[in-house]
């Protein structure tokens, strides 16, 4: 099925307009609540208007699941930690979270599997941030070298609401992820911090879409990652200023460190603009470390291989440091401490 | 205090929007059939290989899908397009021999005057055929060939044309490349021998006068080793109530250590579908410079492509697009780095107003052979009202770690901070705004020869009142 479709397509020969996946799941129930803090109640809100980043085909697959979605609503200050229970085969779960007015809600999803497990995790997460609410979603992907994740995130922000997204891809044979967040309410905000690492012949396919409808809405998408061996990655990022979004500001940046030849890095950052009084920027930096940086650090006695390893780690650590949940932050730090980067192809 | 909106004038079309009655012209019927293609081939006295090429291209056209990713071109019905219109004159080397009405057309466009003042040679095409082609004697004496493609095909450069024609842009590239291969007519052939520097530019000007017609000129330029050329392309048409089509093709070959600058001021009328294809191949140490101003057309698909195939080859692209009422201009560039230490630098600007749609679309591709290559891109869009649209769609595909790729884009209105800064230096607000808007286009106009920069500035006459609100 086609997933992660660009809102405005471009030349077909680039093969960037959408991703493809043969992910198919017949059952769910692999997501467990590991920790729940604060005031959470079952949620009967209608999420049908919230669009997910993976697109209609994935949404239809999710809608056909027999298991009902985990639907919760939170008020005040609340935290929910969910863990993916790894097993062989494919499974798809659905989560709905509503952050009530003025609340501070954090949801952490740790999608993990032991090394060698070829389990496939499908996850559709839809979010509603009510007026003045701040909803933080953290998704960690560490499904091992054989695991696969297909993740769709959708959200809507009411007036002065904020959705923060932190996604960290630490491994996985194939990872499809992204977010579609509609900034409907005046003064609403979306912030995304994405870190990724892909090695071997692994593939990461990302799609972030932020339609600005409300006045003075803001978004800031920052992605930083490391590619090694023959890994492939595509980053699609779209800031969509719709008519009426006067005073909106959007920014997206990507910083990709390529550790060796053989990697494939594709980046397509879109700005769509139908409103005069807005400001949209994007920037991308792709390649190896600057000669000045390497020279400076080498002159301080660091071997080139170590410089590259440290700079690769720093990209992931910078995102990990923003995870508000300490238990998850520690788990990520432990994983990264043991990470072995291939620095054979690095040069000054 | 109520702010008064900045008023930015439409591109002034009075200079271009005059038409001549169709008389004594010969044309094929509307639509696209093998019989029409055969007729064009016969009329042009094609060699057999070209006749076969046209028919093969038509077959590819019929089998190729319409594009599905850009501006809407449903208003273009090929069944209503006349693909070949021959004016009642042969190609001349003296303006005095050009029929008066056609000569007057080019006089009003300033072409003969420009030739006298600042050009090394001129080609002037009217509908489907060149009506004038000439090159200065001293330039010809250096071995520079500048002529129409049809004559060259039958002369000593016939083999060279056979070896290069539609090799960079094959008919299989896309539907309108196939259409071009089937019905192309007119255009120029330039050959600059090794080591020759043509000090002043050559120019080809394309005028489409016939309503409901297509223009399919082919420009083939070969700049041999160590040579240097500046080529200027201009085009215009009067406005009609029926769709016109421009599906030209430009193929540029830049040999080792050679340099080519290709400047275009595109000013087609607002009933024109401009589906043009331009491509350059640059060998070791060669330099390609694109300077592009897109002002006209109802719909435009225009993305000059550069293939950097030799070590150290370089490319720069400087372009501006001005989309006003009724215009959907999809412009940009493509570059493929496929050799070590190549570089590309892109500066793109656009202005949208009165409901105009401007899209910047690009592709920067670095293959695994492009170690040590660099690319930088800067893209700025100015929105002058809230009924217009401006999109940027830049793609990057990087397959070597030994690369430095940077991309920046900015969309917005005139910065209040910039206005404030200039005003704090004593410049009145209206003048400050005029300076900023005019300066927005400067990066392109300064790359053009003076006469053409003046023309471009005439095209964007920015009249400032009050402030952007």
């Amino acid at each position: 099925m086609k997933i992660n479709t660009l809102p405005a397509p471009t030349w077909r020969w680039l093969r960037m307009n959408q991703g493809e996946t043969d992910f198919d799941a017949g059952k769910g129930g692999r997501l467990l609540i590991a920790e729940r803090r604060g005031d959470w109640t079952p949620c009967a809100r209608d999420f049908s208007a919230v669009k997910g980043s993976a697109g209609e085909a994935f949404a239809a697959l999710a809608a056909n699941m027999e298991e009902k979605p985990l639907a919760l609503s939170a008020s005040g200050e609340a935290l929910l930690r969910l863990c993916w229970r790894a097993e062989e085969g494919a499974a798809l779960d659905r989560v709905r979270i509503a952050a009530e007015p003025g609340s501070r809600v954090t949801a952490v999803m740790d999608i993990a599997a032991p090394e060698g497990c070829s389990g496939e995790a499908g996850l559709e997460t839809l979010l509603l941030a009510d007026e003045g609410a701040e909803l933080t979603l953290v998704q960690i992907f560490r499904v091992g070298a054989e695991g696969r994740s297909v993740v769709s995130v959708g959200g809507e922000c009411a007036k002065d609401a904020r959705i923060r997204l932190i996604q960290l891809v630490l491994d996985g044979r194939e990872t499809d992820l992204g977010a579609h967040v509609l900034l409907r309410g005046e003064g609403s905000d979306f912030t995304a911090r994405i870190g990724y690492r892909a090695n071997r012949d692994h593939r990461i396919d990302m799609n972030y879409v932020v339609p600005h409808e409300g006045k003075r809405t803001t978004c800031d998408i920052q992605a930083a990652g490391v590619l090694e061996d023959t890994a492939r990655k595509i980053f699609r990022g779209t800031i969509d200023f719709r008519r009426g979004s006067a005073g909106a500001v959007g920014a997206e940046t990507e910083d990709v460190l390529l550790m060796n030849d053989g990697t494939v890095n594709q980046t397509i950052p879109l700005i769509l603009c139908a409103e005069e009084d807005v400001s949209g920027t994007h920037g991308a930096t792709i390649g190896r470390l600057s000669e000045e940086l390497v020279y400076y650090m080498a002159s301080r006695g660091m071997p080139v291989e170590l410089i590259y390893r440290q700079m690769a780690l720093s990209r992931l650590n910078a995102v990990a440091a923003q995870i508000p949940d300490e238990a998850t932050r520690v788990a990520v730090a432990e994983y990264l401490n043991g990470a072995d980067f291939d620095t054979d192809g690095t040069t000054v | 205090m109520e702010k008064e909106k900045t008023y930015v004038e439409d591109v002034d079309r009075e200079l271009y929007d005059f038409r001549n009655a169709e008389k004594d012209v010969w044309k094929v019927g509307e639509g696209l059939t093998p019989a029409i293609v055969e007729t064009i081939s016969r009329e042009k006295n094609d060699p057999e290989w070209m006749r076969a090429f046209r028919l093969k291209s038509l077959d590819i056209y019929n089998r190729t899908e319409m594009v599905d990713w850009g501006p809407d071109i449903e208003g273009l019905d090929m069944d209503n397009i006349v693909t070949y219109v021959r004016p009642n004159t042969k190609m001349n080397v003296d303006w005095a021999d050009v029929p008066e009405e056609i000569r007057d057309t080019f006089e009003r466009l300033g072409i003969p005057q420009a030739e006298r003042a600042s050009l090394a040679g001129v080609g002037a095409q009217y509908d489907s055929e060149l009506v004038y082609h000439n090159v200065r004697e001293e330039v010809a004496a250096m071995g520079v060939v500048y002529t129409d493609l049809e004559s060259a095909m039958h002369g000593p450069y016939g083999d060279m044309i056979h070896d290069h024609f539609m090799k960079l842009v094959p008919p299989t590239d896309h539907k309108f490349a196939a259409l071009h291969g089937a019905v192309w007519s007119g255009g120029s052939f330039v050959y600059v021998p090794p080591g020759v520097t043509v000090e002043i530019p050559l120019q080809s000007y394309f005028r489409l006068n016939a309503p409901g017609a297509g223009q399919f000129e082919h420009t083939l330029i070969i700049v041999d080793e160590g040579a240097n050329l500046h080529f200027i392309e201009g085009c215009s048409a009067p406005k009609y109530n029926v769709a016109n089509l421009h599906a030209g093709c430009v193929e540029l070959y830049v040999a080792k250590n050679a340099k080519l600058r290709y400047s275009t001021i595109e000013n087609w009328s607002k009933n024109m579908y401009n589906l043009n294809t331009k491509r350059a191949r640059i060998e070791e140490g060669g330099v390609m410079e694109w300077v592009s101003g897109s002002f006209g057309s109802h719909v435009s698909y225009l993305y000059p492509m550069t293939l950097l195939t030799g070590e150290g080859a370089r490319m720069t692209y400087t372009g501006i697009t001005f989309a006003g009422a009724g215009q959907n201009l999809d412009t940009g560039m493509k570059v493929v780095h496929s050799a070590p230490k190549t570089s590309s630098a892109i500066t793109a600007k656009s202005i949208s107003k009165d409901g105009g749609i401007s899209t910047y679309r690009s592709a920067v591709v670095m293959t695994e052979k492009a170690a040590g290559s660099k690319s930088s891109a800067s893209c700025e869009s100015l929105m002058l009202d809230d009924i217009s649209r401006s999109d940027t769609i830049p793609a990057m595909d990087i397959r070597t770690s030994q690369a430095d790729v940077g991309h920046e884009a900015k969309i917005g209105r005139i910065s209040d901070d910039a206005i404030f800064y200039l005003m704090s230096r004593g410049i009145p607000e209206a003048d400050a705004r005029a300076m900023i808007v005019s300066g927005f286009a400067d990066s392109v106009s300064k790359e053009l020869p003076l006469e053409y920069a003046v023309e471009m500035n005439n095209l964007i006459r920015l009249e400032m009142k009050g402030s952007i609100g």
Side-chain angles (χ1 to χ4, degrees):
Chain A
M1 73 179 144
K2 286 182 169 46
I3 56 165
N4 290 351
T5 302
L6 267 182
T10 191
W11 297 294
R12 280 175 282 185
W13 61 271
L14 288 167
R15 299 179 187 280
M16 293 186 181
N17 287 335
Q18 69 271 315
E20 287 273 342
T21 182
D22 59 359
F23 178 84
D24 196 7
K27 59 179 180 177
R30 300 244 171 108
L31 210 53
L32 299 176
I33 296 177
E35 185 181 357
R36 183 160 60 177
R37 274 188 261 152
D39 185 15
W40 292 90
T41 54
C43 179
R45 301 263 295 265
D46 180 9
F47 285 80
S48 60
V50 182
K51 262 176 93 169
S53 54
E56 290 176 8
F58 186 79
L61 185 70
N64 283 336
M65 299 299 294
E66 278 184 16
E67 288 87 348
K68 286 190 174 173
L70 173 67
L72 295 169
S73 174
S75 57
E77 196 151 323
L79 179 136
L80 181 71
R81 196 141 58 81
L82 300 168
C83 293
W84 183 266
R85 191 184 62 200
E87 285 178 20
E88 295 294 333
L92 196 162
D93 272 341
R94 294 179 289 165
V95 179
R96 311 285 186 255
I97 295 173
E100 293 180 6
S103 60
R104 296 287 176 270
V105 177
T106 300
V108 179
M109 299 175 178
D110 186 9
I111 301 161
E115 192 60 44
C117 175
S118 59
E120 301 186 2
L123 188 55
E124 183 192 62
T125 305
L126 302 182
L127 310 169
L128 288 175
D130 290 342
E131 184 171 342
E134 182 174 316
L135 202 171
T136 302
L137 174 68
V138 180
Q139 293 183 319
I140 311 296
F141 302 88
R142 44 190 189 122
V143 293
E146 301 303 318
R148 175 158 80 157
S149 309
V150 183
V151 166
S152 183
V153 173
E156 275 193 26
C157 285
K159 186 171 186 288
D160 294 326
R162 182 182 188 200
I163 291 180
R164 287 178 69 207
L165 175 70
I166 298 167
Q167 289 177 321
L168 202 47
V169 182
L170 300 176
D171 59 17
R173 173 170 53 89
E174 287 181 20
T175 311
D176 298 290
L177 72 163
H180 182 287
V181 176
L182 173 61
L183 299 176
R184 191 189 291 283
E186 183 174 343
S188 56
D189 173 74
F190 172 63
T191 305
R193 296 290 180 268
I194 303 124
Y196 58 86
R197 182 251 179 133
N199 62 357
R200 307 191 198 188
D201 59 349
H202 295 171
R203 179 183 68 76
I204 299 177
D205 190 305
M206 292 178 267
N207 188 32
Y208 298 87
V209 183
V210 187
H212 290 250
E213 286 190 352
K215 291 185 193 308
R216 289 181 288 281
T217 47
T218 51
C219 85
D220 182 17
I221 303 170
Q222 292 182 21
V226 186
L227 298 182
E228 303 162 71
D229 307 323
T230 58
R232 303 170 67 93
K233 165 246 126 190
I234 177 165
F235 173 86
R236 303 180 193 85
T238 303
I239 298 170
D240 183 1
F241 294 116
R242 295 183 179 169
R243 194 166 297 166
S245 63
V249 177
E252 55 182 325
T253 56
E254 202 200 7
D255 179 8
V256 191
L257 179 59
L258 306 176
M259 299 290 273
N260 52 263
D261 287 339
T263 57
V264 176
N265 175 78
Q266 294 181 310
T267 299
I268 183 159
L270 274 60
I271 301 178
L272 311 178
C273 185
E275 170 61 49
E276 166 210 5
D277 182 15
V278 297
S279 171
T281 57
H282 67 67
T285 309
I286 302 160
R288 55 184 172 172
L289 297 175
S290 76
E291 288 177 6
E292 290 80 7
L293 175 70
V294 175
Y295 180 80
Y296 174 81
M297 296 179 81
S299 71
R300 266 57 184 167
M302 282 178 78
V304 172
E305 295 76 15
L306 183 60
I307 295 168
Y308 268 85
R309 185 181 189 281
Q310 290 300 112
M311 296 312 292
L313 268 177
S314 71
R315 280 161 171 75
L316 301 170
N317 277 326
V319 177
Q322 306 209 19
I323 299 171
D325 172 51
E326 192 181 351
T328 310
R329 216 168 40 239
V330 168
V332 170
E334 281 176 4
Y335 177 91
L336 288 175
N337 282 339
D340 183 25
F341 290 91
D342 179 1
T343 54
D344 286 351
T346 56
T347 58
V348 177
Chain B
M1 189 179 75
E2 188 182 344
K3 284 183 175 178
E4 189 181 356
K5 288 268 186 184
T6 299
Y7 174 69
V8 179
E9 263 196 359
D10 267 332
V11 169
D12 181 0
R13 297 207 52 82
E14 194 180 326
L15 176 63
Y16 310 93
D17 203 10
F18 59 93
R19 60 186 78 167
N20 296 331
E22 273 192 89
K23 59 182 183 185
D24 301 331
V25 301
W26 186 89
K27 57 186 179 182
V28 298
E30 294 174 344
L32 191 59
T33 64
I36 285 175
V37 172
E38 290 268 19
T39 301
I40 294 172
S41 185
R42 230 179 5 257
E43 280 292 314
K44 301 189 76 63
N45 191 27
D46 278 344
E48 176 54 27
W49 70 266
M50 182 58 80
R51 189 188 76 86
F53 185 90
R54 287 181 186 275
L55 290 169
K56 186 179 166 192
S57 297
L58 176 64
D59 181 51
I60 294 167
Y61 172 83
N62 288 328
R63 287 187 284 113
T64 306
E65 287 176 27
M66 196 63 89
V67 293
D68 60 359
W69 43 264
D72 181 10
I73 51 173
E74 275 191 7
L76 175 65
D77 184 351
M78 279 309 297
D79 289 340
N80 296 330
I81 294 289
V82 176
T83 52
Y84 181 76
V85 181
R86 189 185 63 210
N88 186 25
T89 180
K90 61 181 183 11
M91 193 179 77
N92 303 281
V93 293
D94 188 336
W95 282 109
D97 296 330
V98 176
E100 187 179 357
E101 199 173 54
I102 297 175
R103 187 175 66 238
D104 283 351
T105 297
F106 288 105
E107 290 277 0
R108 291 175 71 171
L109 293 166
I111 305 305
Q113 300 91 312
E115 180 183 16
R116 287 189 293 271
S118 57
L119 295 171
V122 159
Q125 180 160 335
Y126 192 82
D127 291 334
S128 298
E129 293 291 352
L130 281 143
V131 294
Y132 175 85
H133 223 294
N134 201 6
V135 61
R136 287 189 186 182
E137 279 179 18
E138 63 269 31
V139 176
M142 291 190 291
V144 174
V145 178
Y146 180 39
T147 184
D148 65 302
L149 198 58
E150 289 91 336
S151 301
M153 199 159 49
H154 291 288
Y157 292 91
D159 288 345
M160 190 181 272
I161 289 168
H162 179 268
D163 292 345
H164 291 84
F165 182 84
M166 292 201 82
K167 294 294 192 293
L168 283 181
V169 184
T172 49
D173 206 69
H174 58 83
K175 193 169 184 73
F176 292 94
L179 173 66
H180 177 90
V183 298
W184 76 272
S185 178
S188 298
F189 170 67
V190 183
Y191 174 71
V192 186
V196 170
T197 293
V198 183
E199 299 284 354
I200 49 179
L202 302 175
Q203 182 183 28
S204 284
Y205 198 95
F206 304 103
R207 176 75 176 177
L208 182 56
N209 181 69
Q215 196 169 58
F216 307 95
E217 86 287 350
H218 193 97
T219 302
L220 176 58
I221 299 177
I222 299 169
V223 186
D224 218 327
E225 187 170 337
N228 192 331
L229 173 70
H230 183 184
F231 190 88
I232 299 171
E233 174 197 78
C235 44
S236 66
K239 186 174 182 186
Y240 293 104
N241 291 325
V242 293
N244 276 40
L245 169 63
H246 176 235
C249 182
V250 175
E251 296 185 288
L252 311 173
Y253 294 85
V254 179
K256 184 177 177 182
N257 296 327
K259 180 179 176 185
L260 172 61
R261 169 171 284 213
Y262 196 93
S263 302
T264 306
I265 298 181
E266 182 271 297
N267 191 26
W268 294 115
S269 53
K270 290 187 180 178
N271 60 316
M272 180 68 82
Y273 288 82
N274 182 34
L275 312 172
N276 207 11
T277 309
K278 299 179 179 182
R279 199 161 294 169
R281 191 185 76 194
I282 320 300
E283 294 177 19
E284 182 183 341
V287 178
M288 179 71 219
E289 297 175 344
W290 299 97
V291 181
S292 178
S294 294
F295 302 95
S297 300
H298 169 52
V299 168
S300 200
Y301 283 70
L302 184 61
Y303 327 97
M305 183 175 192
T306 311
L307 309 170
L308 298 170
T309 58
E311 182 167 342
R314 289 179 284 148
M315 182 284 277
T316 63
Y317 170 86
T318 309
I320 187 162
T321 297
F322 187 111
Q327 292 184 283
N328 189 343
L329 307 185
D330 201 299
T331 61
M333 51 68 62
K334 298 180 262 189
V335 58
V336 178
H337 296 249
S338 58
K341 297 177 184 165
T342 51
S343 70
S344 59
I346 300 132
T347 306
K349 308 231 175 185
S350 72
I351 299 171
S352 307
K353 66 170 293 242
D354 289 345
I357 301 172
S358 165
T359 302
Y360 170 73
R361 190 183 300 274
S362 68
V364 173
V365 176
M366 285 193 183
T367 71
E368 55 277 8
K369 295 177 188 166
S373 294
K374 295 182 178 180
S375 176
S376 67
S378 167
C379 169
E380 280 186 81
S381 303
L382 200 54
M383 291 275 290
L384 296 182
D385 55 50
D386 56 7
I387 57 169
S388 302
R389 195 173 172 89
S390 181
D391 297 339
T392 63
I393 307 177
M396 287 157 271
D397 186 325
I398 311 302
R399 298 177 184 229
T400 173
S401 65
Q402 311 294 307
D404 289 316
V405 180
H407 182 94
E408 290 177 359
K410 201 160 83 173
I411 282 183
R413 59 175 190 162
I414 296 175
S415 154
D416 288 338
D417 290 347
I419 296 292
F420 179 78
Y421 174 82
L422 290 170
M423 288 176 68
S424 73
R425 296 304 188 259
I427 297 168
E429 183 176 351
D431 290 352
R433 292 182 185 281
M435 283 171 71
I436 291 168
V437 177
S438 300
F440 188 74
D442 264 7
S443 61
V444 179
S445 62
K446 77 183 182 189
E447 295 296 327
L448 291 166
L450 182 62
E451 296 77 4
Y452 301 93
V454 170
E455 185 191 348
M456 201 187 95
N457 287 334
N458 284 338
L459 283 170
I460 316 174
R461 279 197 291 132
L462 303 169
E463 184 181 317
M464 310 299 294
K465 285 183 193 169
S467 63
I468 277 199

